[in-house]
Amino acid sequence: MTLPVSILDLAHIGDDGIAASFAASVELAQKAEGWGYKRIWYAEHHNMASIASSATSVLIAHVAANTSSIRLGAGGIMLPNHSPLQIAEQFGTLETLHPGRIDLGLGRAPGSDQNTMRALRRDPMAADTFPSDVQELQAYFAGATRIPGVNAYPGKDTHVPLYILGSSLFGARLAAALGLPYSFASHFAPQALEDAVKIYRRDFQPSAALAEPYVIAGVNAILADTQEEADALFLTAKRRRVAAMVGGGRKFTDAEADLLLESPAGQQVLNMVRYAAIGTPDTARGYLEDFAKLADADELIVATQVTDRTAWIRSFELLAGAMELVPAG
């Protein structure tokens, strides 16, 4: 059986602007549909000049309207930023317009900094109610509201599938207790991957939503026609990341960025992308098969830290061939 592979589209904003980012997301989804990817997810990030998916449900709607079969969803919606009712209405609308194609991954992180949290009018304590908020949201979709007299229209009886996202043991325990599928963010937070998956599988309680545990593991991948090209693309991505996270986003020469990468702070940044398949299709396939075993994953979701549009799409094309993905239907 072919290992299912999905895409985390980071909706990168390049020098060509935000509209071009949206056009690129549509192009990738249309091609990924034909290449055999299982799903594409978009993440809720706010106040980030490099990511265009802040209005996540709106972007999903746009891509869904320009594709026909691939599953699309949030990976994820940061639920403490919203009321469960609003999210039920948004994703109930998406599911009604595009039946059987919509996923809803849920996280409890702010997806932003403290000032942005204030701009979002987010309650600093909102993360504390995440478990009950997930259950409230689940009830809206099931047509069994937990708040008397309040229903989601649209949303009621749409049964949008929920996924718990996490980068720590908290999400693993919650997903297990609620009997929901679990997606671990090992593409940027690798430390707790193995422990979290073990806890999730050990403690999983079957539910109406899911009979057996299901794990999606995040991983980075950059594929190219030659190893040298893939290595060069990865080096560019690492330089960009360390400049953003350690250097405050200011412009650095390549030599300066390399010095940052060698610093203790730079090494911490590099550790975030510990799990990365870099190279030709043959090299990447071996790496990803080994990673799936390490992660005890039922499915992989791949992020590609490449900003060049052509190389970005080519990487996913090569990956589909390497993993022998088969289009649905």
Side-chain angles (χ1 to χ4, degrees):
M1 180 179 173
T2 301
L3 177 70
V5 181
S6 298
I7 294 172
L8 178 64
D9 180 355
L10 299 173
H12 173 73
I13 301 172
D15 294 337
D16 48 3
I18 293 175
S21 172
F22 295 150
S25 289
V26 169
E27 180 184 358
L28 176 63
Q30 290 171 339
K31 291 181 175 179
E33 199 166 59
W35 290 334
Y37 284 95
K38 186 173 181 66
R39 67 184 97 237
I40 302 177
W41 281 357
Y42 308 90
E44 179 189 351
H45 291 285
H46 298 283
N47 193 32
M48 296 187 70
S50 61
I51 296 178
S53 54
S54 55
T56 314
S57 60
V58 180
L59 179 56
I60 292 168
H62 177 60
V63 177
N66 285 281
T67 51
S68 60
S69 60
I70 194 166
R71 296 194 67 89
L72 300 164
I77 289 294
M78 300 300 106
L79 192 54
N81 291 344
H82 313 272
S83 75
L85 178 61
Q86 289 174 311
I87 296 304
E89 291 167 344
Q90 291 175 22
F91 281 79
T93 298
L94 287 169
E95 175 62 25
T96 303
L97 291 170
H98 308 284
R101 296 182 58 200
I102 301 302
D103 299 329
L104 177 51
L106 300 168
R108 67 179 183 129
S112 57
D113 56 34
Q114 294 295 318
N115 285 337
T116 307
M117 284 175 60
R118 285 194 288 273
L120 287 167
R121 304 297 191 267
R122 173 176 165 146
D123 180 348
M125 305 302 292
D128 295 344
T129 61
F130 180 68
S132 61
D133 286 348
V134 172
Q135 291 176 298
E136 181 184 336
L137 177 58
Q138 192 174 32
Y140 286 132
F141 288 135
T145 180
R146 294 165 67 96
I147 301 178
V150 178
N151 285 285
Y153 303 110
K156 183 179 179 182
D157 297 322
T158 55
H159 302 282
V160 174
L162 302 184
Y163 298 75
I164 299 298
L165 276 56
S167 58
S168 68
L169 305 185
F170 177 90
R173 294 190 177 101
L174 179 63
L178 297 181
L180 293 173
Y182 180 52
S183 181
F184 192 87
S186 33
H187 61 291
F188 74 85
Q191 290 82 355
L193 169 64
E194 294 177 76
D195 287 342
V197 172
K198 287 176 183 175
I199 287 171
Y200 169 68
R201 290 194 179 278
R202 182 194 70 200
D203 296 347
F204 180 83
Q205 299 295 313
S207 69
L210 193 64
E212 300 287 340
Y214 192 86
V215 173
I216 304 175
V219 62
N220 299 285
I222 298 176
L223 278 69
D225 294 291
T226 67
Q227 185 68 47
E228 292 74 18
E229 183 184 356
D231 288 340
L233 290 167
F234 190 39
L235 178 58
T236 298
K238 289 186 290 187
R239 286 169 173 165
R240 186 178 66 253
R241 180 181 282 256
V242 77
M245 300 189 71
V246 179
R250 72 179 182 86
K251 296 289 186 180
F252 290 90
T253 66
D254 288 348
E256 289 171 335
D258 290 343
L259 285 174
L260 273 180
L261 286 169
E262 293 172 5
S263 70
Q267 291 300 303
Q268 289 182 342
V269 171
L270 289 179
N271 187 53
M272 294 174 66
V273 291
R274 180 196 312 170
Y275 296 126
I278 311 298
T280 61
D282 286 345
T283 301
R285 175 175 179 144
Y287 181 94
L288 291 172
E289 288 176 342
D290 289 343
F291 171 75
K293 292 175 184 175
L294 172 75
D296 196 9
D298 300 290
E299 178 182 336
L300 300 182
I301 189 162
V302 176
T304 297
Q305 308 283 341
V306 173
T307 56
D308 178 86
R309 305 284 190 209
T310 301
W312 180 64
I313 287 184
R314 178 62 172 160
S315 181
F316 284 116
E317 180 182 14
L318 291 172
L319 178 58
M323 302 303 288
E324 300 179 354
L325 303 184
V326 179

